[in-house]
Amino acid sequence: MRKLIVLGFVGLLAQLIDGSLGMAYGVTSSTLLLAAGVAPAAASAAVHFSEIGTSLVSGFSHHKLGNVDWRTVSILAVPGFVGAFAGATFLSNLDGDSAKPWVAGILLGLGIYVIWRFLVLGGRRPTFKARPSAGMLAPMGLVGGALDAVGGGGWGPVGTTTLLSSGRLEPRKVVGSIDTSEFVVAVGGSLGFILALGSQGIEWAYAGALLAGGVVAAPIAAWLVRKLAARVLGVAAGGLIVLTNTKTIAESFGASGTTVAVLAAVLFVAWVTGIVWAVKQERLARALEAAQGREPELAPVG
């Protein structure tokens, strides 16, 4: 019972992060399940089943608050479903660990670009170009769905990172669209796991505990992403991308626990510093708008 209560809190925290930054629910939850000795396929299955409920509530909350670009969601959904189903079905025959550092390296580079994009703006507000094309979204959905099933998390890191770095959607709509489309990805992955593992191979109690915590946090996270300024949210998401993937790369190359901890601590301090800087720049932008007689905006409209 104590383990289920802890998992409930983990689900709440993971969904709060995921719903406001567009990533980390699967990664956070899967990491704890693996640490508890759950097999990779069973851990990913439990996470995906819990995500069916959390992503449904999160998507509805984001929709009500205007955080969703439905064109993006509609294009991502089918490739994401196919990728997740395939990844779940073949998880037992795939070596996800060998591909992890390569994927982490790509995401790390994109994360650095996201931070740079939002920090170099000075006192100016970010602007966003036309919405992402189907030619970009479809393969991204396929790859993201497959990695999500294989690694227990990946839809957010791939989708949020790619869309943020493209500059074609404002951050709150990137997060809202990725979280909403994740429902279809979770369904695809869950169906694949049911066929591959059978119902006896699923840790239903773990999935239920994660679901309970995540459902509570989903509406709060959707409100939070609506209130955060685009510059602050972009830097926060970029920092999470860099911190998570640097840790993954370091561990893949055999770095000691102490080295990884020190590296993570340094990056965490840099991340917080970047967020503080972004907040200051946002205040400068609002002060400039007020001086010019314009109504300050919480976030630009893409």
Side-chain angles (χ1 to χ4, degrees):
M1 178 58 70
R2 180 180 300 177
K3 181 181 292 186
L4 295 181
I5 293 175
V6 171
L7 284 175
F9 280 108
V10 169
L12 188 150
L13 179 61
Q15 182 58 42
L16 190 62
I17 297 172
D18 187 274
S20 56
L21 295 183
M23 66 187 74
Y25 179 87
V27 173
T28 303
S29 303
S30 296
T31 298
L32 184 69
L33 290 176
L34 290 174
V38 179
S44 185
V47 170
H48 278 78
F49 275 101
S50 68
E51 279 183 323
I52 292 178
T54 58
S55 60
L56 182 62
V57 176
S58 181
F60 178 77
S61 301
H62 279 299
H63 167 66
K64 296 295 288 185
L65 293 171
N67 297 337
V68 180
D69 181 75
W70 284 103
R71 174 184 173 276
T72 298
V73 172
S74 64
I75 297 174
L76 281 175
V78 174
F81 178 95
V82 173
F85 182 86
T89 302
F90 297 106
L91 175 59
S92 59
N93 297 318
L94 294 175
D95 183 13
D97 290 337
S98 62
K100 188 178 293 185
W102 296 98
V103 175
I106 295 172
L107 296 178
L108 174 63
L110 289 173
I112 293 173
Y113 174 73
V114 168
I115 296 174
W116 173 82
R117 171 176 167 75
F118 285 94
L119 283 184
V120 299
L121 291 166
R124 296 176 288 110
R125 287 187 174 276
T127 56
F128 302 93
K129 300 177 287 187
R131 289 183 294 180
S133 66
M136 168 191 172
L137 292 173
M140 185 189 82
L142 188 66
V143 172
L147 289 177
D148 192 78
V150 173
W155 181 252
V158 172
T160 301
T161 303
T162 304
L163 288 180
L164 279 176
S165 63
S166 74
R168 294 183 179 274
L169 278 180
E170 56 180 297
R172 69 181 181 90
K173 288 198 173 183
V174 169
V175 173
S177 301
I178 291 297
D179 271 18
T180 301
S181 57
E182 191 168 19
F183 169 75
V184 180
V185 175
V187 171
S190 297
L191 287 176
F193 282 120
I194 280 287
L195 292 177
L197 300 176
S199 61
Q200 298 302 314
I202 310 297
E203 296 285 356
W204 296 108
Y206 293 173
L210 292 171
L211 171 61
V215 166
V216 172
I220 302 172
W223 173 84
L224 182 62
V225 75
R226 175 68 178 174
K227 295 299 181 181
L228 282 176
R231 182 186 290 105
V232 178
L233 185 57
V235 173
L240 182 63
I241 295 165
V242 171
L243 180 62
T244 301
N245 289 289
T246 300
K247 179 176 177 292
T248 299
I249 293 173
E251 291 174 341
S252 298
F253 281 97
S256 66
T258 301
T259 300
V260 172
V262 171
L263 182 60
V266 171
L267 288 175
F268 180 79
V269 171
W271 181 24
V272 173
T273 302
I275 293 175
V276 171
W277 178 261
V279 171
K280 290 181 178 180
Q281 296 305 311
E282 188 64 26
R283 288 177 176 173
L284 286 175
R286 293 189 184 190
L288 181 61
E289 288 174 349
Q292 295 175 344
R294 291 184 290 159
E295 186 71 20
E297 305 171 37
L298 277 175
V301 178

